[in-house]
Amino acid sequence: MSYTLTIETTGDEVEVAEGQTILDACLRAGIWLPHACCHGLCATCKIQVTDGEIDHGEASSFALMDFERDEGKALACCARLESDASIEADIEEDPDALGIPVEDFEGVVTRIDPLTPTIRGVHVALDRPIRFQAGQYVNLTVGEEGVLTRAFSLASDPHAPDAVELNIRIVPGGVGTTWIHEHLKEGDRVKLSGPYGRFFVRHSAKAPLLFLAGGSGLSSPRSMILDLIARNETLPITLVYGARSREELYYHEEFEALAAAHANFRYIPALSDEPADSGWTGFRGYVHEAARAAFDNDFRGHKAYLCGPPVMIEACLAALMQGRLFEKDIYTEKFFSAADAQQVRSPLFRRI
């Protein structure tokens, strides 16, 4: 059994299966709705139901208060239809969004590379190609019973769609990443769904590109840079990538080679806790400090893409704004766990 969902904002009609959330149905139809945590906690996906009956599911009473439910509001990530329905949603048009429908995929793990002491590069050969925009992510399902689903950015080039690479950092106490690091092996079959996310290059802007990344946040920028180079992009491209020490700096040689081969690509690695006697001759300090030094604290005219730990993103946001680059030219992607969704968002940047 299914119901018809009408999105009054765009005029689209979406078929929603019984038990399927409004958000999942829309994403699988190639229609983007604002969302973040997908746990019913952050309220990013709040919509207005103008007609029809719904089940609110596990929506938090803090993210969706009783009076809002009475007014017809709902959280798309939790709400399920109980009849044909119509909604209004805050959907922003983006000329660079391809609107690729979310689909399910299966594949075989062909290689697991120890990129750093805490990050594994997991390569998966897919049963069929996946279409995605560089910078997007997938939900990976693993585990002996196939019950662990986690979000990971795609680190690979979208021009090679038969296989994907995921850079997975082990999270202390994290059940999913611990299982991947300790039990996932070559030859295992995995499932994934995607692509998800609105983190991608705004090609229509035709502006110099600045990527600021830290830790496994390098995944999306790597995919975006590989895509830009494959497109023969001529605009200036700068990657500032930070890690604590040299052993945690991965794909260093690859980016050095790309910088040597492409005059418009600049690579700036930064180490924040490298031993003083190690022989490291690159920048010592944090990502935002390296960016300030490289651009003389003036980022005007750029489009900036940020990926990394929350503390790094906060510092980079402050540095970019102090260097006269503002919200409309800054893009970032954060994954929200149930715990993250309850934390206060950045006062500097409303889209985080």
Side-chain angles (χ1 to χ4, degrees):
M1 184 176 182
S2 64
Y3 300 106
T4 298
L5 175 71
T6 301
I7 304 173
E8 295 182 355
T9 315
T10 63
D12 291 303
E13 289 190 350
V14 178
E15 184 175 341
V16 184
E18 185 174 10
Q20 186 180 26
T21 67
I22 290 175
L23 177 61
D24 185 64
C26 288
L27 294 178
R28 289 178 180 275
I31 299 169
W32 181 83
L33 295 182
H35 62 281
C37 78
C38 295
H39 297 291
L41 293 169
C42 73
T44 304
C45 65
K46 193 173 292 182
I47 56 175
Q48 179 70 47
V49 180
T50 58
D51 186 50
E53 300 296 324
I54 65 162
D55 175 359
H56 287 288
E58 299 177 357
S60 162
S61 59
F62 295 99
L64 187 68
M65 297 183 180
D66 290 341
F67 78 88
E68 293 180 301
R69 299 175 194 231
D70 293 339
E71 293 174 350
K73 291 183 172 59
L75 300 185
C77 72
C78 296
R80 294 169 171 81
L81 298 191
E82 294 185 331
S83 71
D84 291 345
S86 298
I87 65 169
E88 293 178 348
D90 183 17
I91 301 176
E92 295 181 4
E93 294 289 334
D94 192 317
D96 294 294
L98 297 183
I100 303 171
V102 169
E103 297 183 70
D104 297 315
F105 299 86
E106 293 189 22
V108 177
V109 176
T110 57
R111 196 168 89 240
I112 300 177
D113 297 330
L115 299 175
T116 78
T118 59
I119 300 174
R120 299 286 183 269
V122 178
H123 297 256
V124 180
L126 300 174
D127 293 350
R128 61 188 180 92
I130 181 173
R131 181 173 175 237
F132 67 94
Q133 286 186 262
Q136 291 189 297
Y137 68 93
V138 295
N139 283 334
L140 176 70
T141 301
V142 295
E144 294 179 0
E145 303 298 327
V147 296
L148 300 174
T149 300
R150 300 292 186 271
F152 299 108
S153 293
L154 292 155
S156 42
D157 185 345
H159 295 88
D162 294 322
V164 296
E165 178 184 348
L166 309 174
N167 298 162
I168 300 175
R169 180 179 69 87
I170 188 168
V171 177
V175 176
T177 58
T178 297
W179 193 94
I180 290 170
H181 274 247
E182 296 182 356
H183 300 288
L184 188 67
K185 60 185 184 300
E186 293 181 10
D188 284 353
R189 288 194 65 81
V190 295
K191 297 179 179 180
L192 59 87
S193 62
Y196 295 96
R198 300 280 277 189
F199 190 59
F200 45 78
V201 171
R202 269 58 183 184
H203 295 281
S204 62
K206 301 188 184 305
L209 303 110
L210 171 59
F211 297 95
L212 305 178
S216 59
L218 182 63
S219 301
S220 291
R222 178 177 185 255
S223 178
M224 296 157 105
I225 290 166
L226 291 176
D227 179 47
L228 287 164
I229 289 174
R231 291 167 174 260
N232 296 315
E233 180 59 71
T234 57
L235 287 167
I237 305 167
T238 302
L239 168 64
V240 184
Y241 174 54
R244 287 175 54 83
S245 63
R246 178 62 186 87
E247 68 174 353
E248 296 176 356
L249 192 69
Y250 71 101
Y251 285 128
H252 177 64
E253 290 78 12
E254 175 183 84
F255 287 119
E256 284 190 321
L258 287 174
H262 301 275
N264 64 319
F265 175 58
R266 179 168 56 155
Y267 168 54
I268 304 170
L271 301 182
S272 62
D273 196 27
E274 177 71 0
D277 60 353
S278 69
W280 172 254
T281 58
F283 189 90
R284 291 178 180 268
Y286 295 100
V287 172
H288 67 285
E289 295 170 334
R292 275 178 173 157
F295 286 87
D296 196 23
N297 201 34
D298 187 351
F299 302 103
R300 287 176 296 177
H302 287 77
K303 288 288 185 181
Y305 301 86
L306 283 57
C307 233
V311 172
M312 185 218 87
I313 288 180
E314 291 288 338
C316 288
L317 285 173
L320 290 172
M321 290 183 176
Q322 290 165 7
R324 293 176 284 185
L325 193 69
F326 300 103
E327 182 179 350
K328 67 181 180 64
D329 296 314
I330 304 173
Y331 304 91
T332 185
E333 179 80 330
K334 273 191 177 181
F335 295 141
F336 283 80
S337 67
D340 294 332
Q342 300 179 72
Q343 297 177 0
V344 177
R345 296 185 181 187
S346 171
L348 296 174
F349 199 64
R350 67 176 178 83
R351 286 188 301 204
I352 292 182

